[in-house]
């Protein structure tokens, strides 16, 4: 394998002039224009690449901020609630069922309860319907142990 190399020694003098044919001059001018155009295109492409890289960094920062907000959302809400000292709202529940007297099947007792339930304590009323006896009503207060 061989390579061809051309070496030229240029001597600078005041009256040195290079004479080119018209075809060579057109080729040189075309090459210079193409070089200038490609240089401008390369500069614009570098600007675009730089702008895209900046946009990518901004989007990555935005995504990481959103991810951290989602990750710490519950902690943030709990902290805000503790600052505002918001207590959980009571819940209203009603229960209906059948219960037995002792461990016997007969006679069944029909019961119903309505509660206003807080975090640790419940207030309500209870109705127990006994088919053979008088129905019973009562107030309930319960404290949640666990």
């Amino acid at each position: 394998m061989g390579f061809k190399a051309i070496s030229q020694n240029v001597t600078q003098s005041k009256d040195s002039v290079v004479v080119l044919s018209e075809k060579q001059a057109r080729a040189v001018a075309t090459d210079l224009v193409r070089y200038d155009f490609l240089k401008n295109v390369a500069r614009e492409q570098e600007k675009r690449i730089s702008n895209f890289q900046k946009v990518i960094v901004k989007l990555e920062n935005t995504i990481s901020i959103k991810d951290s907000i989602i990750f710490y959302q519950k902690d943030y809400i709990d902290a805000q609630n503790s600052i505002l000292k918001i207590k959980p709202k009571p819940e209203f529940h009603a229960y209906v069922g059948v219960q037995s007297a002792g461990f016997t099947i007969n006679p069944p007792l029909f019961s119903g309860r309505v509660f206003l339930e807080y975090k640790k304590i419940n207030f309500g009323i209870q109705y127990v319907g006994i088919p053979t006896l008088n129905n019973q009503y009562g107030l309930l207060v319960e404290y949640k142990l666990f």
Side-chain angles (χ1 to χ4, degrees):
M1 179 176 353
F3 295 100
K4 292 184 179 179
I6 298 174
S7 174
Q8 295 179 356
N9 292 330
V10 176
T11 56
Q12 294 284 335
S13 68
K14 293 180 184 178
D15 58 347
S16 63
V17 175
V18 176
V19 178
L20 300 172
S21 68
E22 183 180 342
K23 189 175 183 180
Q24 290 174 332
R26 286 181 187 265
V28 168
T30 303
D31 287 346
L32 290 174
V33 169
R34 284 183 184 166
Y35 173 73
D36 289 342
F37 176 75
L38 291 176
K39 202 161 83 171
N40 288 337
V41 168
R43 189 178 313 120
E44 289 298 319
Q45 292 297 333
E46 289 297 323
K47 285 180 185 177
R48 284 183 175 183
I49 290 170
S50 175
N51 287 339
F52 282 130
Q53 288 172 340
K54 289 176 184 176
V55 168
I56 287 170
V57 168
K58 286 181 182 178
L59 290 175
E60 287 173 346
N61 288 339
T62 303
I63 289 170
S64 67
I65 289 170
K66 286 183 178 183
D67 287 346
S68 66
I69 288 171
I70 291 169
F71 183 75
Y72 292 109
Q73 182 178 14
K74 185 179 182 313
D75 295 335
Y76 180 77
I77 291 171
D78 291 342
Q80 293 299 318
N81 285 343
S82 67
I83 290 171
L84 297 173
K85 295 183 180 176
I86 295 175
K87 300 195 182 213
K89 294 181 180 179
E91 297 179 2
F92 185 72
H93 294 276
Y95 303 94
V96 177
V98 177
Q99 55 190 45
S100 65
F103 289 104
T104 63
I105 297 175
N106 292 329
L109 307 173
F110 300 104
S111 67
R113 298 184 295 169
V114 177
F115 278 111
L116 186 60
E117 297 180 359
Y118 290 92
K119 189 172 184 177
K120 286 283 189 178
I121 194 163
N122 300 333
F123 298 101
I125 57 172
Q126 179 173 357
Y127 163 77
V128 178
I130 305 171
T132 57
L133 301 173
N134 292 336
N135 296 329
Q136 298 177 358
Y137 299 93
L139 294 175
L140 294 172
V141 177
E142 295 179 345
Y143 183 78
K144 186 175 183 178
L145 298 175
F146 56 90

